[in-house]
């Protein structure tokens, strides 16, 4: 499953961060690293971007970038 597939309120644990070069480094610099729990807070009215919460702060990502982040499901 990837981050762009989650609905508001759903969460997951990052298992891998895809992308190449500057994009991957930017995602890692923002704290999107394997083992981190993320939760989708909001989705824009047109579906892009999405707002996520991780490491105590909120971050907005484009769906294209979110589709590169692999997740494991969180047990409820």
């Amino acid at each position: 499953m990837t981050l762009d597939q989650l609905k508001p309120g759903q969460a997951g644990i990052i298992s891998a961060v895809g992308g190449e070069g500057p994009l991957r480094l930017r995602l890692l610099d923002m704290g999107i690293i394997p083992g981190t729990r993320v939760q989708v807070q909001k989705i824009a009215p047109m579906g892009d971007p999405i707002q996520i919460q991780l490491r105590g702060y909120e971050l907005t990502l484009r769906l294209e970038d979110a589709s590169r982040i692999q997740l494991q499901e969180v047990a409820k």
Side-chain angles (χ1 to χ4, degrees), residues 55-72:
R55 301 183 172 270
Y57 69 96
E58 294 177 348
L59 179 67
T60 303
L61 286 177
R62 296 180 304 163
L63 283 180
E64 181 181 341
D65 296 341
S67 70
R68 301 174 194 274
I69 301 168
Q70 296 290 323
L71 300 176
Q72 299 171 349

Side-chain angles (χ1 to χ4, degrees), residues 46-61:
M46 298 297 285
D48 192 17
I50 63 172
Q51 181 178 328
I52 61 172
Q53 182 177 26
L54 72 155
R55 301 183 172 270
Y57 69 96
E58 294 177 348
L59 179 67
T60 303
L61 286 177

Side-chain angles (χ1 to χ4, degrees), residues 8-11 14 16 21 28 31 35 39-40 44 48-49 51 57 59-60 74 76:
Q10 291 183 315
I14 298 171
L28 294 170
Q39 180 175 4
V40 174
D48 192 17
Q51 181 178 328
Y57 69 96
L59 179 67
T60 303
V74 173
K76 291 186 179 186

Side-chain angles (χ1 to χ4, degrees), residues 11-62:
I13 304 290
I14 298 171
S15 60
V17 179
E20 296 181 7
L23 171 62
R24 185 171 191 279
L25 291 176
R26 183 173 63 92
L27 293 173
L28 294 170
D29 286 345
M30 289 189 289
I32 301 173
I33 57 175
T36 302
R37 183 182 191 279
V38 296
Q39 180 175 4
V40 174
Q41 297 294 312
K42 299 176 190 173
I43 298 177
M46 298 297 285
D48 192 17
I50 63 172
Q51 181 178 328
I52 61 172
Q53 182 177 26
L54 72 155
R55 301 183 172 270
Y57 69 96
E58 294 177 348
L59 179 67
T60 303
L61 286 177
R62 296 180 304 163

